[in-house]
Amino acid sequence: MEDNKKIKKVIMLLAVLLGISVVALGGAVLGQYIDASKPVIAEVGDENDPSESEPPQITPSDDEGNFAITGENAERTKTALYRGHSEDKKTFIIDDMSPGDKKYEGYELKVNYSGTIVVRFKADVTVDEKVGGGAADKKLADVLMVRINIEGNTVYEGALGKMPKEITHTLTSKEKTSECVDYDIYAWLPSGAGSDYSHRRLEAELCWWVAESEAGGSYSGQLEEIPDTGAPAPIGALAAMAAASLAGIIAFGSGKKRART
């Protein structure tokens, strides 16, 4: 009788362990599935998220086209390129700008790659419409001035509507690596533009991409998968624990039946 009570307690303990193992195993598998289904992981932010910090203050100088961004640690919109995700897009919006107004947006592009690759960038105007006063037939993109900086170096300055079809930036690494590249966009509507270009809404689709078809050609590099920086879920250990608990329950249950007979 006493032996049966001990066996019963052991079986109950093993049953509890089995239940815990199964629940934890299911959670680990579900967690990995959710992580794998995310289009952009960890480093990528949403510029439309209202929880983001306010954009940095713009300090104008005597020259309309030159203005500094205060705060070295200004928040940047996150974007990324990696194997299986060779293109990423964000929306740049100008809403009801008046002559003399300025706007700044900063972006941090994280690229997972190896070898030598060319990161391409462009800005396609998708919306340019009247929202208030001003002439309906005028296009803000024709007069809106922009300066595009990559890693602090100016690669384009001129009207947004006359930007090149692509602006390239070459990255090189002998080993697999994750490299962050800063893009700064300074936009301003010149004071001399006049009221015809006021009260308009403009949206430009910013696009970063790597032409993966170039791999093996003049450029030897390629995009790489996102490195796993988190602790992996111990799926194997949880499965082993569940199996051992189940085996123990079966073994002790059989022993208990034999003891009764």
Side-chain angles (χ1 to χ4, degrees):
M1 181 69 69
E2 188 67 26
D3 290 340
N4 285 339
K5 289 183 178 180
K6 290 181 179 180
I7 293 175
K8 186 176 181 180
K9 288 182 179 180
V10 172
I11 292 175
M12 290 179 63
L13 177 61
L14 291 173
V16 171
L17 290 175
L18 176 61
I20 294 174
S21 301
V22 170
V23 172
L25 182 60
V29 172
L30 180 61
Q32 286 199 352
Y33 173 78
I34 293 174
D35 286 341
S37 65
K38 292 180 181 178
V40 180
I41 300 176
E43 292 294 336
V44 179
D46 184 358
E47 74 276 15
N48 295 320
D49 187 350
S51 66
E52 291 285 342
S53 61
E54 292 296 322
Q57 296 297 314
I58 296 175
T59 306
S61 67
D62 294 335
D63 184 349
E64 279 188 331
N66 293 322
F67 46 93
I69 306 305
T70 59
E72 294 181 358
N73 297 320
E75 188 74 19
R76 291 178 177 272
T77 298
K78 309 292 185 181
T79 183
L81 299 176
Y82 50 89
R83 183 178 298 176
H85 187 79
S86 60
E87 179 180 276
D88 205 6
K89 299 179 180 180
K90 301 294 180 184
T91 302
F92 181 79
I93 299 175
I94 297 290
D95 201 4
D96 200 13
M97 180 178 277
S98 298
D101 288 349
K102 300 173 175 65
K103 181 182 177 67
Y104 164 82
E105 291 286 349
Y107 299 86
E108 180 183 277
L109 175 68
K110 183 176 181 180
V111 187
N112 296 296
Y113 75 101
S114 62
T116 298
I117 64 170
V118 177
V119 177
R120 305 177 188 277
F121 170 78
K122 66 177 179 178
D124 290 331
V125 177
T126 56
V127 175
D128 194 341
E129 60 188 10
K130 178 182 175 182
V131 295
D137 61 336
K138 300 295 183 180
K139 294 297 183 183
L140 182 58
D142 293 338
V143 296
L144 182 70
M145 299 295 291
V146 294
R147 179 186 300 112
I148 310 296
N149 283 5
I150 300 178
E151 290 292 288
N153 299 313
T154 299
V155 294
Y156 175 76
E157 183 169 334
L160 175 62
K162 296 181 179 179
M163 275 187 61
K165 293 183 178 180
E166 61 181 44
I167 296 173
T168 62
H169 183 68
T170 303
L171 298 175
T172 299
S173 174
K174 293 181 179 180
E175 300 177 350
K176 295 181 181 179
T177 187
S178 294
E179 185 170 344
C180 293
V181 183
D182 289 339
Y183 285 73
D184 296 293
I185 300 178
Y186 303 83
W188 68 97
L189 184 58
S191 300
S195 60
D196 285 344
Y197 297 96
S198 299
H199 311 295
R200 297 192 67 85
R201 179 179 177 85
L202 181 147
E203 295 183 11
E205 185 179 71
L206 307 180
C207 181
W208 293 263
W209 79 99
V210 170
E212 292 187 289
S213 59
E214 290 180 341
S218 57
Y219 299 101
S220 60
Q222 62 183 2
L223 293 175
E224 299 289 350
E225 295 178 353
I226 294 179
D228 185 7
T229 56
I235 293 179
L238 292 173
M241 183 183 298
S245 300
L246 181 60
I249 291 173
I250 294 174
F252 280 100
S254 299
K256 185 176 180 181
K257 289 181 179 179
R258 287 195 298 270
R260 288 177 179 176
T261 59

